[in-house]
Amino acid sequence: MYKNLTSPISFSLLMFVSLPIVSTLIFESKSAAWAQSTPTIQDQKSQADNLLKRAKQNLGVSQNLEAFKDYQKALNIYQQLGDLQGKAESLNGMSTAYYNQDALERGLPVYFEDFGFTEGENYFNQALAIAKKIGNQKLEAESLTGLGRAVDRLSDSAKAIKYYDQALAISKKIGDRQSEGRILNYLGVAHRSRAYFQKVLDYHQQALAVSKNIGDRQLEASALKELCDLYHNYDSNYIDKPSLSKMEMQQQSLTYCQKSLDIFSQIKDIPTSIQILRFISSSYKDLISKEQVIKYYQKTLLIAQQTNNRYLQKHTFESIGDIYDELGQYQKALDFYQQALKFESPVLQPAIGNQNYGLYSLYKSIGRCYSNLKQYALSIDYYTRSLDIAKFYDKNNKDNVKSVAFTKNYLLYSLGEAYYAQGKYQQAIDNYQESLSIYKSERDLEMQGTILWALGSSYGALANYQQAIASFQESISIFKKLNLPSDLAILLSNLGNSYFAIEQYQKAIDAFRESLLLKKQLGDRKGELELLTNIDDAIKALEKQKTKP
């Protein structure tokens, strides 16, 4: 807002001057005040130009929201001034910021509300019409490039390629090498749906060559990033199959990603750096050590802390926890999970979206760590908290939407395991049975067999051998169908022990012998010796039983 007019000349002062002079003085005073508070057309033009310049700088480092807002402000001023070129550049810029953010994170944040793919295409079309009207070929090429991105995002790659080809021809004609490089990159992306690996590769390599020729680091990093993505998707149905093996393709992809990351970090493009760090950390666990994965996550965490990005901090703490969990370093995993937990609200939301999923997932992970650390009371506490959220979700999910995996079955099974470890066998049985009923409805045979096995062990611990035998027999039937000999061998041994406990020695011998046969096939010498001892004990017990009066 502009400043108010200066204060009116006091009445007492006006009494000392004649009426005509007073009139003149008042008129001149108002005129001077308006001159100070109302910007000239040149001032407005300068303000809009500065906004445009700042927006382009932000666009170059993926600060897309900031760029979008500045383009929007500039557009309003250019429209008031009737500045067609400024208007067209702003329209192009707003839409470009929108599509850049879409490429960075699918599912755009709310600050782009009232603006979507249709609006983006319309804005590019408006800019194109203006560019042709004023004869600005650079602007025309930019608008055509934008239209290509718009229709490509709507899955019309053939139409996108036509727009890109037109834009490329203009850029080459006017010698705009920076635009030429960007368009070559976009052409590579658009051609991926046509399944010709070499053609896509050529476009991105041409873009890379242009970037190095003109010294454009941002363009170079973008080309390397696209090459990383191309090699990563090794299993695409390319018509001309790459000659490299799957592992070689992945190694090449990782190399391009790392080079891209180095440049994006150097030019302070934080959002894209984070995107690549997270991509490497999650996609290349088989190519780099878990310790190296942790280092990438720690770089992400540092950026998240510097930018006060709470969501990213929480996600990264949890991801590092997952890696330490995989490494069997449960106390370290627990420390990172607890850090992540600080970013979650303990207040449950009745809505059916993702609001409660982070808390649910962390409680489950913490419960698992405590279980692995044999701190079963704490494990049960956190598993129960996670289970309560899953139950809360079911209760409030009136429409039965299954978009978020608040599953109770695994938690119930895990609780059963923790109670079993504490020697609380009846509580273990209660949780196992509830879990089993869910797994039966989902037709997960392996988990059904596993839970029946656990039930058999729990019943056996309570000396309820008939129930144990029934559970073991059901489990054996399932594992035979699944052809899992190692599990079968253990189950048959357990079954034999249960029969032995109720003095049905012949059935015990039969079960032990069947288990022994599997142990021999598996080459488990230690297991064989143990079973031979069991069989010998059962035979002696049977003979003694027969001699009883």
Side-chain angles (χ1 to χ4, degrees):
M1 297 295 292
Y2 302 119
K3 294 180 180 178
N4 294 325
L5 300 180
T6 54
S7 301
I9 297 173
S10 67
F11 180 77
S12 58
L13 177 62
L14 294 178
M15 292 296 291
F16 293 98
V17 293
S18 62
L19 187 60
I21 296 173
V22 170
S23 176
T24 303
L25 282 171
I26 292 172
F27 177 77
E28 287 176 355
S29 176
K30 286 183 178 180
S31 175
W34 276 107
Q36 291 173 6
S37 61
T38 306
T40 65
I41 290 174
Q42 188 57 42
D43 288 339
Q44 287 180 294
K45 176 75 165 61
S46 178
Q47 182 187 1
D49 289 347
N50 286 333
L51 284 166
L52 209 63
K53 181 180 179 182
R54 188 170 69 185
K56 289 176 180 177
Q57 289 170 344
N58 281 325
L59 207 61
V61 289
S62 301
Q63 298 294 339
N64 301 310
L65 171 58
E66 291 75 8
F68 184 89
K69 288 177 177 177
D70 281 342
Y71 279 126
Q72 206 169 33
K73 290 175 186 175
L75 176 63
N76 292 333
I77 298 172
Y78 285 130
Q79 283 178 325
Q80 291 171 18
L81 297 175
D83 186 324
L84 290 180
Q85 178 167 323
K87 179 181 176 181
E89 286 189 52
S90 301
L91 289 167
N92 273 344
M94 283 175 66
S95 302
T96 299
Y98 175 79
Y99 284 103
N100 282 1
Q101 189 64 24
D102 175 59
L104 204 58
E105 51 172 324
R106 298 293 185 188
L108 288 158
V110 293
Y111 53 69
F112 281 115
E113 60 188 20
D114 302 325
F115 194 90
F117 296 132
T118 304
E119 288 76 8
E121 187 176 0
N122 289 340
Y123 277 19
F124 283 130
N125 270 315
Q126 288 180 51
L128 180 61
I130 293 170
K132 287 180 176 178
K133 182 177 180 180
I134 64 177
N136 187 323
Q137 288 189 300
K138 178 177 172 58
L139 202 52
E140 184 181 348
E142 287 177 0
S143 305
L144 287 164
T145 303
L147 280 168
R149 293 189 75 189
V151 297
D152 196 19
R153 184 62 184 84
L154 295 171
S155 302
D156 191 347
S157 59
K159 191 174 180 181
I161 289 167
K162 288 180 182 178
Y163 281 128
Y164 290 144
D165 283 339
Q166 292 177 60
L168 184 62
I170 295 170
S171 295
K172 285 182 175 180
K173 178 183 174 184
I174 63 176
D176 185 352
R177 300 226 69 198
Q178 186 179 49
S179 293
E180 180 187 340
R182 285 192 303 107
I183 297 164
L184 286 165
N185 251 348
Y186 294 142
L187 273 165
V189 174
H191 273 284
R192 287 187 194 184
S193 61
R194 300 193 164 197
Y196 284 100
F197 178 84
Q198 190 58 49
K199 189 162 191 175
V200 176
L201 180 63
D202 288 345
Y203 277 121
H204 293 314
Q205 286 180 330
Q206 286 179 61
L208 185 60
V210 170
S211 72
K212 289 181 176 180
N213 184 260
I214 63 175
D216 187 328
R217 298 286 278 161
Q218 201 274 341
L219 176 58
E220 182 182 354
S222 297
L224 289 165
K225 181 172 176 284
E226 294 301 342
L227 285 165
C228 163
D229 188 53
L230 173 64
Y231 277 97
H232 177 69
N233 295 311
Y234 61 89
D235 58 349
S236 296
N237 296 318
Y238 294 120
I239 294 169
D240 54 334
K241 299 287 184 184
S243 58
L244 299 176
S245 68
K246 172 183 171 180
M247 183 60 72
E248 288 171 329
M249 292 282 280
Q250 290 302 280
Q251 189 59 61
Q252 190 75 283
S253 173
L254 176 59
T255 300
Y256 281 125
C257 253
Q258 288 169 328
K259 288 180 179 178
S260 174
L261 175 62
D262 288 343
I263 298 173
F264 278 121
S265 299
Q266 289 165 18
I267 65 175
K268 309 298 183 188
D269 185 334
I270 290 172
T272 311
S273 296
I274 289 171
Q275 184 192 41
I276 297 171
L277 280 164
R278 292 174 71 179
F279 178 72
I280 292 174
S281 303
S282 61
S283 301
Y284 294 112
K285 292 180 181 179
D286 294 336
L287 287 183
I288 55 180
S289 68
K290 286 183 170 59
E291 289 76 13
Q292 188 63 41
V293 172
I294 289 170
K295 286 182 181 178
Y296 279 115
Y297 275 129
Q298 285 172 332
K299 288 180 182 179
T300 308
L301 183 60
L302 181 62
I303 296 172
Q305 289 169 333
Q306 289 170 345
T307 57
N308 197 30
N309 186 327
R310 290 179 59 81
Y311 169 79
L312 185 57
Q313 287 181 64
K314 180 258 173 184
H315 174 83
T316 310
F317 275 124
E318 188 171 7
S319 297
I320 295 173
D322 289 341
I323 301 297
Y324 279 121
D325 192 11
E326 290 174 24
L327 285 168
Q329 298 183 38
Y330 303 117
Q331 187 55 58
K332 279 190 176 181
L334 194 57
D335 293 342
F336 280 97
Y337 288 142
Q338 294 285 9
Q339 287 290 326
L341 194 58
K342 293 176 182 178
F343 295 90
E344 288 289 347
S345 169
V347 180
L348 297 183
Q349 305 286 334
I352 61 172
N354 285 299
Q355 296 96 322
N356 304 322
Y357 188 78
L359 201 57
Y360 157 87
S361 177
L362 278 168
Y363 282 157
K364 184 167 66 171
S365 296
I366 292 169
R368 186 177 62 249
C369 280
Y370 277 126
S371 183
N372 286 323
L373 290 167
K374 303 189 186 317
Q375 298 182 40
Y376 298 112
L378 285 168
S379 174
I380 288 167
D381 178 23
Y382 279 96
Y383 278 142
T384 303
R385 293 189 204 186
S386 188
L387 182 61
D388 286 344
I389 296 174
K391 288 178 178 177
F392 179 89
Y393 172 75
D394 278 351
K395 181 181 176 182
N396 289 279
N397 186 5
K398 306 297 184 186
D399 299 321
N400 199 33
V401 176
K402 296 296 182 184
S403 59
V404 184
F406 289 93
T407 52
K408 294 186 293 184
N409 44 5
Y410 176 79
L411 285 165
L412 288 161
Y413 171 72
S414 299
L415 274 166
E417 293 281 90
Y419 279 122
Y420 183 90
Q422 280 192 318
K424 297 179 179 178
Y425 303 118
Q426 188 54 55
Q427 285 164 291
I429 288 167
D430 293 341
N431 281 281
Y432 286 144
Q433 286 178 331
E434 195 175 347
S435 177
L436 180 62
S437 65
I438 300 173
Y439 277 115
K440 280 183 176 178
S441 68
E442 294 178 355
R443 298 182 181 181
D444 186 333
L445 270 182
E446 187 168 353
M447 274 308 297
Q448 287 177 48
T450 300
I451 297 168
L452 284 162
W453 182 344
L455 276 167
S457 299
S458 301
Y459 284 125
L462 290 172
N464 188 343
Y465 298 113
Q466 292 293 355
Q467 286 276 30
I469 289 166
S471 296
F472 284 139
Q473 284 175 330
E474 279 192 74
S475 185
I476 287 167
S477 176
I478 289 171
F479 281 108
K480 280 183 177 178
K481 287 179 185 176
L482 297 173
N483 192 26
L484 296 170
S486 181
D487 292 326
L488 266 174
I490 300 169
L491 277 163
L492 285 161
S493 180
N494 288 347
L495 180 63
N497 288 329
S498 300
Y499 277 126
F500 192 97
I502 59 173
E503 299 182 358
Q504 295 189 25
Y505 301 119
Q506 186 56 57
K507 287 184 178 180
I509 292 166
D510 294 340
F512 288 145
R513 282 175 174 166
E514 194 175 348
S515 177
L516 178 61
L517 185 62
L518 290 169
K519 290 287 186 182
K520 285 180 177 179
Q521 291 172 1
L522 294 164
D524 183 352
R525 184 62 183 156
K526 182 181 177 183
E528 285 182 55
L529 293 172
E530 288 174 356
L531 281 163
L532 286 167
T533 301
N534 288 350
I535 292 168
D536 187 53
D537 289 343
I539 290 171
K540 288 176 182 177
L542 180 60
E543 289 173 352
K544 188 176 180 181
Q545 187 182 57
K546 287 178 180 179
T547 59
K548 280 184 180 180

